[in-house]
Amino acid sequence: MAGLKTGARLRSAVCTTEVMVISVPDKPAEIACGGAPMIDVAEAPPGDQSPSPDAAEGTKLGKRYVDDSGDLELLCTKAGDGSLATGGVLLKLKEAKKLPSSD
Amino acid sequence: MNLMMLLEMAAAGFGDRPAIESGSDVLTYQELFDAAGRAASEVQASGAERMALLDVSSPAVPIALFASAWAGVPFVPLNYRLTSEELDSLVGEIAPSYLITDPERVEQLARVPGTNPVEREDFLAEAVGGGEAAPEWSMDPDEIAVLLYTSGTTGAPKAAVLRHKHLVSYILGSVEFGGSGAEEATLVSVPPYHVAGMAAILSSVYSGRRVVQLPGFSADGWLELARSARITNAFVVPTMLARIVDELEDAGSTDLPHLRAIAYGGGKMPQPVIERAMRLFPETEFTNAYGLTETSSTISVLGPEDHRAAASSGDPVVQRRLVSVGRALPSLEVEIRDPDGKPLGAGEVGEIHVRGEQVSGEYLGRGTRLESDGWFPTRDSGSMDEEGYLFVEGRIDDVIVRGGENLSPGEIEDVLLEHKSVVDCAVVGIPDVQWGEAVAAVVVLRTGMSVTVPELQEWVKARLRSSRVPGRIEFSAELPYNETGKLLRRVVREDLAGDSS
């Protein structure tokens, strides 16, 4: 998944998860959901597939997911059954920063 | 990126929650989403290249905002306080347009070529009624989401361009998705053509807060609605807060049990007003938000903790922060620079610069004002303290140059406002043969109080350098403000020039 940019949208090949890229590391990142590489949101998923059991904790709408370095950050725009991962390592849920409401 | 992504997530996450409340009409998030889709289809069928709104707040505003994003045309909320000549010219400029307005204006606007005026009630009936949704929206982040014509205090009006990437970045950088409780409701009293009006809708949608609209502000109307609609959050401009505080002090009771938080911005807040408000609402959290149209609204906030710390601290550095606009959002960088572009240190006054994904800095047909490295010169002067608290002095164009010395009107106004007899004031530069410009002030006295010009001059002299003492002070019953609380300094200057002849 070379050339991935902030704002790009991806979908899971094996569940309903969709994400938007908030930040990416400088080097190309392989992003997976449910154990399968994610595809461009405009592509049709292969169908008839389900997340592999070791990547099936699910994604939550509106939550952010980050890798250990914090360089890769994804926003879940549609929830699903698969778990997000990069380089074979599951992403972690990022705690929301509490900001006072300004409008 | 598209604003519709925010509403789609809200509809998926909490579709049954009330989204928009106006009078007895309530739309849920799912209903708002469906209405936007049908309205988008109408706009596309009309062949319009822009969707405009010339009207007060109503459910038509959020529907039209999202319908524009869905249809792929810019949303253009117009200022209904402009003269009909000004409006005819603007409406001509944005043609071909689909224009939502009130019944009284339809006939005249229909005469502007390429304009399809639609009465608000007809638009709403169509949008919330049956009908097909438009096809899927574009995700091109560079498409224009909103065009906001600035108040145009000088010269021809110009439209700030806010693209989807700017507004979506602002929301993602400052609001937690679904972060509001189901009981939370925000009272929107700023007009739709103000960037704060747009930001209030987008922030509320993404956080899952019910938006309650007040078309046309009055202090008693605001208080009545805050009580009856169980408002928990509100955004006001300083003049609105001043009137609310006056009204409550007269009534001798606050009685707003649901109100948890008040955010304010859109102009300089006089220190006495915020102090009185904090006394009246000891349990309410106050947040000061500073931003510009060109920056997709808020770029820095002074939060509730900062307000409490400033009010209770014995340290003058911390106390002074009550009049600061707080610290930059984590997603942005802010710097103070001198006229040569060199970054300045803590406490030094220069031009406020900001950089970040929400910053547009672009005007329609005039290109970008961003520097090559992405920094936006705001034309606001200010300083930052050691811990990053930002102090805004005012527009650079308002700085008074007296005998080669730059004087900030805000600094002199702050000192005048500390006088117990002064309730409001404006300091401007007026032409002067000897100094180039001289300092003049117009002062509004508190009811029942009096003070002489020499007494006020002495008051300023005791606190600031003598060059800052207004050589001329006039008294007036009130100062000229626009409807969102911006002091019209140009009018003050003109009035003073007219008087002196």
Side-chain angles (χ1 to χ4, degrees), chain B residues 105-387:
Chain B
R105 296 187 196 261
V106 167
E107 200 178 324
Q108 179 177 350
L109 292 166
R111 289 194 211 114
V112 182
T115 303
N116 177 14
V118 181
E119 284 183 29
R120 179 212 310 151
E121 293 309 318
D122 295 344
F123 170 77
L124 284 171
E126 198 74 47
V128 299
E132 291 288 308
E136 183 82 349
W137 53 85
S138 156
M139 285 300 286
D140 181 354
D142 288 315
E143 281 188 10
I144 298 176
V146 180
L147 291 174
L148 285 176
Y149 281 87
T150 59
S151 43
T153 48
T154 52
K158 49 187 181 175
V161 176
L162 299 177
R163 299 178 187 275
H164 285 278
K165 62 183 178 186
H166 301 127
L167 290 164
V168 172
S169 297
Y170 168 59
I171 297 302
L172 296 185
S174 65
V175 184
E176 187 194 346
F177 177 72
S180 294
E183 75 293 350
E184 288 190 36
T186 189
L187 178 45
V188 177
S189 49
V190 286
Y193 56 81
H194 193 284
V195 69
M198 293 294 99
I201 292 171
L202 296 173
S203 298
S204 299
V205 163
Y206 198 64
S207 76
R209 196 175 271 155
R210 175 169 51 106
V211 170
V212 180
Q213 297 173 308
L214 176 66
F217 175 84
S218 68
D220 55 346
W222 189 93
L223 288 164
E224 197 184 310
L225 190 54
R227 289 181 187 121
S228 66
R230 302 179 313 283
I231 294 300
T232 58
N233 294 66
F235 176 87
V236 289
V237 298
T239 46
M240 291 176 184
L241 189 60
R243 286 190 209 153
I244 291 163
V245 165
D246 283 346
E247 179 93 8
L248 286 172
E249 284 178 346
D250 287 350
S253 146
T254 49
D255 188 29
L256 290 162
H258 303 284
L259 190 64
R260 294 179 202 161
I262 294 177
Y264 60 91
K268 189 177 170 64
M269 174 65 79
Q271 188 168 350
V273 174
I274 186 60
E275 285 173 347
R276 287 159 67 207
M278 288 173 71
R279 279 197 295 275
L280 275 169
F281 301 102
E283 305 298 322
T284 300
E285 309 214 301
F286 285 91
T287 297
N288 184 2
Y290 163 67
L292 298 92
T293 304
E294 301 92 323
T295 60
S296 308
S297 184
T298 305
I299 58 175
S300 75
V301 289
L302 184 78
E305 286 300 328
D306 299 318
H307 278 78
R308 281 190 284 270
S312 63
S313 175
D315 179 351
V317 173
V318 179
Q319 282 173 356
R320 182 168 171 260
R321 291 184 184 146
L322 195 55
V323 294
S324 91
V325 295
R327 293 193 271 198
L329 294 181
S331 48
L332 289 168
E333 299 166 89
V334 171
E335 272 184 10
I336 310 295
R337 298 188 181 179
D338 74 6
D340 299 325
K342 188 170 73 68
L344 294 168
E348 294 183 289
V349 176
E351 183 173 2
I352 300 170
H353 283 60
V354 58
R355 180 163 73 174
E357 288 176 1
Q358 72 183 67
V359 179
S360 150
E362 179 189 355
Y363 292 99
L364 192 66
R366 300 175 190 219
T368 179
R369 259 180 52 207
L370 294 189
E371 288 160 4
S372 55
D373 52 3
W375 286 93
F376 174 62
T378 61
R379 301 301 293 156
D380 274 341
S381 74
S383 63
M384 221 188 287
D385 74 10
E386 296 280 358
E387 288 184 50

Side-chain angles (χ1 to χ4, degrees), chain A residues 9 61-62 64 101-103, chain B residues 9 139 170 172 199 203 209 298:
Chain A
R9 291 187 74 187
L61 182 65
R64 290 159 184 252
S101 171
S102 61
D103 31 45
Chain B
M9 289 171 69
M139 285 300 286
Y170 168 59
L172 296 185
S203 298
R209 196 175 271 155
T298 305

Side-chain angles (χ1 to χ4, degrees), chain A residues 10-33:
Chain A
L10 305 172
R11 78 188 313 164
S12 171
V14 297
C15 73
T16 53
T17 298
E18 288 186 16
V19 299
M20 192 180 90
V21 177
I22 300 290
S23 67
V24 275
D26 293 335
K27 58 184 191 307
E30 182 75 31
I31 301 171
C33 181

Side-chain angles (χ1 to χ4, degrees), chain B residues 78-120:
Chain B
L78 295 168
N79 183 348
Y80 46 81
R81 306 226 177 209
L82 297 177
T83 66
S84 54
E85 290 76 27
E86 288 170 316
L87 283 171
D88 281 355
S89 155
L90 280 188
V91 171
E93 204 173 299
I94 61 169
S97 75
Y98 182 102
L99 173 57
I100 301 156
T101 189
D102 59 78
E104 292 78 49
R105 296 187 196 261
V106 167
E107 200 178 324
Q108 179 177 350
L109 292 166
R111 289 194 211 114
V112 182
T115 303
N116 177 14
V118 181
E119 284 183 29
R120 179 212 310 151

Side-chain angles (χ1 to χ4, degrees), chain B residues 444-477:
Chain B
V444 181
L445 293 180
R446 196 174 295 282
T447 313
M449 306 283 262
S450 68
V451 65
T452 65
V453 169
E455 279 167 352
L456 281 178
Q457 287 170 327
E458 203 51 47
W459 176 266
V460 176
K461 198 173 175 180
R463 287 160 180 81
L464 297 171
R465 267 178 278 168
S466 61
S467 59
R468 283 142 175 89
V469 176
R472 187 172 161 207
I473 298 180
E474 302 286 339
F475 296 101
S476 175

